Amino acid sequence: MYKRVRLKDTVEVPPRNLADVTEERVRALLQDKLEGRMDEDVGSVVSVVDVHDIGDGAVLPNRPGVYYETEFDAITYDPDMQEVVDGTVVEVVEFGAFVGIGPIDGLLHVSQISNEYLAYDGENQQLASSDSNRTLGVDDAVRVRIVTKSIDERNPRDSKIGLTAKQPGLGKHEWLAEEYEGRQEEEA
């Protein structure tokens, strides 16, 4: 879920920028420092949007910059357990598909995609069912539920998000549309 949060952090202003300690400069330094970083409390920092307060600067021994305590607003993405999200398949591997959900990817394990057996087709980068001729490949839009979450702040790329699509209303958008059309025909 995307959120706008108020945060506090310390930013180092290098000596070359000491004459220009403005909200714009501090925001740019905060963006360089924080955007794309993962934090267990707030999730992934997507963007620093507003700087509200720049405290007094502090000089530390043997450090060239000046350190300012700042208060600012940031847009973050923090996936909630059991949250239903739409995403796009970014990679298909033998054991499942990686789905881009916001600024991070989650794993949709092959056992969590369908009740049908899905075989890996490496040549076409897709998982395919021989029963229904359904396929799941790169760039396919899917609706999934977040079922596991393990955030690694030190190495955000090692964070793990587990997904499922085996519940009613979840799966590849194309499959959901086919199921909806089938129900409409039955009712008519």
Side-chain angles (χ1 to χ4, degrees):
M1 175 177 301
Y2 287 95
K3 300 174 185 170
R4 184 179 182 127
V5 295
R6 178 86 33 114
L7 301 172
K8 289 184 179 183
D9 200 353
T10 301
V11 65
E12 177 187 9
V13 177
R16 69 179 175 278
N17 298 120
L18 289 176
D20 184 32
V21 183
T22 61
E23 288 182 4
E24 292 80 23
R25 170 69 59 201
V26 170
R27 187 181 70 200
L29 292 167
L30 286 166
Q31 288 171 333
D32 288 344
K33 177 181 178 182
L34 299 174
E35 288 181 2
R37 300 275 167 90
M38 188 72 81
D39 179 277
E40 188 146 348
D41 295 327
V42 298
S44 177
V45 177
V46 177
S47 181
V48 175
V49 289
D50 289 319
V51 175
H52 296 286
D53 184 45
I54 303 170
D56 294 332
V59 177
L60 300 178
N62 300 319
R63 300 301 300 250
V66 177
Y67 294 82
Y68 292 88
E69 185 73 25
T70 61
E71 186 173 304
F72 57 95
D73 285 348
I75 303 298
T76 63
Y77 180 77
D78 188 17
D80 291 329
M81 291 293 293
Q82 305 307 317
E83 180 180 3
V84 174
V85 295
D86 287 318
T88 304
V89 175
V90 294
E91 182 181 6
V92 177
V93 292
E94 286 185 46
F95 53 86
F98 288 96
V99 178
I101 52 170
I104 58 177
D105 295 343
L107 173 63
L108 182 58
H109 191 269
V110 68
S111 67
Q112 295 297 310
I113 297 172
S114 169
N115 289 327
E116 300 174 20
Y117 173 75
L118 298 174
Y120 176 64
D121 177 0
E123 186 176 316
N124 295 312
Q125 276 284 295
Q126 64 183 11
L127 295 166
S129 168
S130 57
D131 297 336
S132 64
N133 292 325
R134 288 183 167 182
T135 62
L136 182 68
V138 175
D139 293 331
D140 285 345
V142 294
R143 180 165 295 140
V144 295
R145 180 182 305 278
I146 297 169
V147 292
T148 60
K149 172 176 137 176
S150 175
I151 303 299
D152 187 335
E153 292 180 32
R154 292 185 183 187
N155 297 310
R157 291 198 154 293
D158 291 340
S159 297
K160 294 174 177 43
I161 307 294
L163 308 170
T164 187
K166 280 184 87 166
Q167 298 164 339
L170 302 179
K172 184 176 172 180
H173 286 187
E174 181 181 304
W175 303 342
L176 297 174
E178 289 171 4
E179 291 169 9
Y180 177 77
E181 290 169 7
R183 285 194 306 271
Q184 295 300 320
E185 290 173 6
E186 289 175 7
E187 292 176 4

